[in-house]
Amino acid sequence: SGDSGKGKKEEEEDDDSGGKREEEVTTRKIDLGRFFASFHVGPFSVSEDNILTAHLLCFERYQFGGEMGFDVRKQAFDPIPWGESNGGPKLYRIKADVDTGELLELTKLSDTPSDMPTFHPTKQDTRFLYVAAGVREEGWFPFNALAKVDLHTGRETLWQPKTNPEHSVTTEPLFVPRGGGGQEKDDDGWLLSMVHDTRGNRTALHVFDAATFAPLWQTDLAALWPWSVHATFDPLPPDDDEAD
């Protein structure tokens, strides 16, 4: 922990002779103790005094095998025992000194199992985080809720479908900014998520006001769709007269 190493910067700069000069960058290893994070990291920032603040979705315990309740050999799916065995990923905030590698803070912000964070795409040091959440009577997966977290106050607001909440599955939320030339607030936009009603055999697209976290609109997408993650949006060019 606290070790550093040298690496090469991806972009090269011109040297005095007109050629290219590779600039060295320093990597820093920070000891965070023992936990498991699959791949999802929330907002992060580095202050003027080189203090890193980052938000991670971490399993406090994890045993590999039967991920998400799938048994490949038996072609069976039972997520409850798998979810109860690991407790689900929880939202943590870390602060560390970039210069020394010293861990200054490791704080759990929520006990709600959640993952797949999203936030305003132009505001890395944002105040608000949106996640898919699991609030089932047994286990936590598949996710059946959405949550908005205020990273400054720790306040967490949950949303669940009114119809068949125990038999619903929410997809990774997608933040679509309203657009204001960078002057808009951290939660100025819309949140999108497809919600699968496995009992009703239907899928619906839900749209929320990201600021109030209130449902605005939903539309039926017919029968069950495959569960999807890691989507994006394509903003309509403002001066494209041929765009639909």
Side-chain angles (χ1 to χ4, degrees):
S1 63
D3 296 335
S4 62
K6 297 293 185 179
K8 293 181 178 179
K9 192 175 182 179
E10 292 184 0
E11 297 182 0
E12 296 178 338
E13 299 180 354
D14 293 334
D15 59 21
D16 295 337
S17 62
K20 293 295 183 179
R21 180 184 66 231
E22 291 182 346
E23 181 179 336
E24 288 187 337
V25 295
T26 299
T27 60
R28 182 71 65 187
K29 183 189 295 183
I30 301 171
D31 188 354
L32 301 179
R34 297 183 63 182
F35 67 85
F36 173 70
S38 53
F39 49 85
H40 292 296
V41 179
F44 67 92
S45 61
V46 179
S47 64
E48 292 183 357
D49 54 351
N50 256 8
I51 301 301
L52 167 70
T53 300
H55 298 85
L56 312 176
L57 282 302
C58 306
F59 287 90
E60 296 163 345
R61 61 184 188 276
Y62 196 90
Q63 181 175 349
F64 286 94
E67 271 61 41
M68 296 184 288
F70 289 102
D71 187 323
V72 177
R73 294 178 179 177
K74 297 180 180 180
Q75 289 294 289
F77 176 60
D78 186 1
I80 293 177
W82 176 78
E84 291 179 338
S85 72
N86 57 53
K90 311 292 174 57
L91 177 62
Y92 279 80
R93 178 177 60 234
I94 68 166
K95 289 189 176 184
D97 189 316
V98 175
D99 294 324
T100 66
E102 178 186 2
L103 179 64
L104 305 175
E105 177 188 337
L106 179 59
T107 303
K108 187 196 300 187
L109 300 182
S110 173
D111 282 314
T112 302
S114 56
D115 212 341
M116 297 186 289
T118 189
F119 47 92
H120 196 298
T122 67
K123 296 181 179 292
Q124 185 61 63
D125 185 17
T126 183
R127 175 174 179 172
F128 300 105
L129 182 69
Y130 304 86
V131 291
V135 289
R136 299 183 176 278
E137 294 181 2
E138 294 183 283
W140 58 271
F141 186 83
F143 298 111
N144 67 332
L146 301 172
K148 177 182 180 180
V149 184
D150 186 327
L151 299 176
H152 290 184
T153 66
R155 181 186 179 188
E156 180 181 68
T157 305
L158 284 168
W159 175 88
Q160 278 188 275
K162 293 182 179 180
T163 304
N164 298 327
E166 280 295 312
H167 298 276
S168 294
V169 178
T170 54
T171 60
E172 177 182 20
L174 173 66
F175 189 101
V176 179
R178 189 181 306 273
Q183 302 302 314
E184 66 272 27
K185 296 181 179 180
D186 291 7
D187 57 356
D188 190 8
W190 299 273
L191 197 72
L192 280 61
S193 177
M194 287 199 301
V195 178
H196 309 265
D197 179 356
T198 61
R199 173 158 288 184
N201 196 39
R202 310 296 291 179
T203 302
L205 173 65
H206 289 248
V207 180
F208 303 80
D209 183 321
T212 64
F213 206 44
L216 294 177
W217 179 77
Q218 72 179 70
T219 184
D220 184 62
L221 299 177
L224 287 176
W225 286 32
W227 190 58
S228 61
V229 294
H230 310 327
T232 187
F233 72 97
D234 184 11
L236 185 69
D239 56 351
D240 189 350
D241 296 332
E242 298 181 359
D244 295 332

